[in-house]
Amino acid sequence: MIDYVFQQLKPMKARGKFQEMMYTSPDYVEEIKYDGHRMVAQACREGTRFTSDHPAKSSGLFVENTDSLPHLFKPVPALFGTALDGEAVTDLLKRSKSNKVTTIMGASSGLAISRQQTAGWLQFAVFDCLFFKGKDIRNRPLEERQQYLFDAIKLWNNPYVSPVIGTFKGKKAFYDEAIRNGHEGTIFKSLSSRYGNPNDWVKRKHTSTFDMVVMGFNPARETSKKVTGEISETKYKGQIGTIKIGQYVMMNGKLVLTPYGKCSGIDDSLRLAMTRNPTQYIGTVIEVTAQERNPSGLLREPRYSRPRPDKRPEDCIYNPNES
């Protein structure tokens, strides 16, 4: 009899550095990077349970989303003890935007179900297998785990669940097509990688740059809470955390400096310099990279890139048509 208990499973991150050789290396498979809601599905006796990659502030445990996905919950006895890593998306074929998924997964279960009944049920794009019928396979190479993944999806036999199919050939063209189709980008994965080593997965995202005015700073969080519930001081206690950024907007014939969110990505030396002498940086121009610009003007995943001493703050004018 299979011995498996629902557990806290932390999804593996992609932290590796891209290298051009990944386009031609037979050890790397390239997959679409879906823009949705990261989840781990665990086939339990009562049904398939889902947890996100975000721990709840109150408990430190990964948030469970099971009640919001009734079309995926039905028990599958043949799949018991299997854990799959994937992404909840609005559409597997067309671009899925995380903000649309968030309006569902971030709502109460009743509202989440209601919204799916109107807009369509979320789909689950599966790209890795962590356990198969009670057997921990996280230490097996990705190439082997993928075979278990296909077997698991066949057993699940749910129309809303599909595997993420990667490519080994024409990877540069695959990336270009992904960007043209509006996807975030792609992810390169080493076939020999074990689950848990973030350097073996590499994001290849499309980004744009924006010149922004430094409007101030937000303090760094003083403490952090681990999945275990343990609370500890952060490395940056007492320093700045993020940079408040903005651009000028024409209002009633005048340029008005308007806030457009915040950005991260500051290295330790610059963070310390900004903490010690913030007035030296407020009002200066920095270059920020982001995936895109939302209709609200806010940038998607903005990160500090470099200073722009060659630019005047007044040169940073918001163009509603830019993306």
Side-chain angles (χ1 to χ4, degrees):
M1 183 176 180
I2 297 174
D3 182 21
Y4 183 85
V5 178
F6 175 76
Q7 57 191 298
Q8 290 288 298
L9 294 174
K10 184 178 182 179
M12 176 175 164
K13 299 292 185 181
R15 299 289 190 234
K17 185 176 181 180
F18 175 76
Q19 301 176 57
E20 287 290 333
M21 66 86 178
M22 293 176 181
Y23 280 132
T24 55
S25 171
D27 183 49
Y28 281 89
V29 61
E30 184 182 20
E31 300 174 353
I32 292 291
K33 185 185 184 308
Y34 285 99
D35 185 15
H37 185 82
R38 185 77 175 274
M39 295 192 305
V40 172
Q42 298 182 59
C44 302
R45 295 201 185 281
E46 67 272 24
T48 305
R49 296 174 64 176
F50 292 85
T51 51
S52 74
D53 59 344
H54 300 297
K57 292 182 179 179
S58 58
S59 65
L61 301 177
F62 292 119
V63 176
E64 185 168 356
N65 306 117
T66 305
D67 291 344
S68 298
L69 304 166
H71 59 301
L72 300 175
F73 176 71
K74 183 180 178 180
V76 184
L79 206 60
F80 174 65
T82 298
L84 301 170
D85 187 1
E87 195 95 5
V89 297
T90 53
D91 195 308
L92 288 165
L93 300 178
K94 301 176 182 177
R95 182 185 183 186
S96 173
K97 298 193 72 172
S98 63
N99 59 346
K100 292 184 178 180
V101 181
T102 300
T103 61
I104 295 171
M105 301 308 295
S108 65
S109 58
L111 185 55
I113 293 172
S114 175
R115 286 175 174 171
Q116 289 178 90
Q117 288 172 333
T118 300
W121 296 101
L122 292 181
Q123 300 176 55
F124 189 43
V126 185
F127 46 73
D128 213 326
C129 185
L130 286 61
F131 286 78
F132 185 75
K133 295 187 175 182
K135 179 166 55 178
D136 187 348
I137 60 173
R138 288 174 291 181
N139 201 38
R140 304 285 183 89
L142 173 63
E143 189 170 25
E144 186 177 339
R145 298 198 309 273
Q146 287 185 331
Q147 293 303 313
Y148 283 107
L149 182 156
F150 288 112
D151 290 343
I153 291 177
K154 185 176 180 179
L155 288 171
W156 198 341
N157 191 29
N158 189 304
Y160 297 101
V161 179
S162 297
V164 174
I165 306 296
T167 185
F168 297 93
K169 298 180 179 179
K171 285 180 271 191
K172 181 64 173 68
F174 184 81
Y175 170 81
D176 293 338
E177 184 178 3
I179 297 303
R180 283 196 300 271
N181 290 338
H183 291 291
E184 277 191 302
T186 59
I187 290 189
F188 290 82
K189 298 178 180 178
S190 169
L191 291 176
S192 58
S193 64
R194 271 61 176 173
Y195 194 89
N197 185 356
N199 292 325
D200 287 333
W201 288 9
V202 181
K203 294 178 185 177
R204 183 68 166 154
K205 286 186 176 182
H206 174 71
T207 59
S208 300
T209 61
F210 303 85
D211 292 328
M212 310 294 290
V213 181
V214 176
M215 298 185 68
F217 305 97
N218 295 306
R221 291 183 298 176
E222 294 195 351
T223 60
S224 63
K225 191 171 186 178
K226 300 180 181 179
V227 175
T228 58
E230 178 185 351
I231 297 177
S232 60
E233 289 188 355
T234 64
K235 176 182 177 181
Y236 303 114
K237 181 180 179 181
Q239 299 186 47
I240 68 163
T242 55
I243 304 173
K244 297 178 181 178
I245 54 177
Q247 287 181 320
Y248 281 90
V249 176
M250 186 65 71
M251 296 182 182
N252 299 322
K254 295 183 179 181
L255 286 174
V256 179
L257 184 58
T258 305
Y260 282 112
K262 59 186 179 182
C263 75
S264 57
I266 321 162
D267 64 34
D268 288 357
S269 59
L270 179 59
R271 185 189 305 274
L272 187 57
M274 288 179 165
T275 300
R276 290 175 173 173
N277 193 359
T279 56
Q280 177 182 335
Y281 296 91
I282 294 176
T284 63
V285 178
I286 60 173
E287 181 181 88
V288 173
T289 61
Q291 288 185 32
E292 62 181 348
R293 191 156 206 166
N294 295 324
S296 65
L298 295 176
L299 301 180
R300 178 93 185 278
E301 296 189 19
R303 294 185 63 82
Y304 172 85
S305 175
R306 61 179 176 132
R308 291 302 304 265
D310 56 315
K311 293 273 188 175
R312 300 181 309 150
E314 294 78 11
D315 294 332
C316 303
I317 299 176
Y318 172 48
N319 175 10
N321 295 317
E322 69 186 357
S323 62

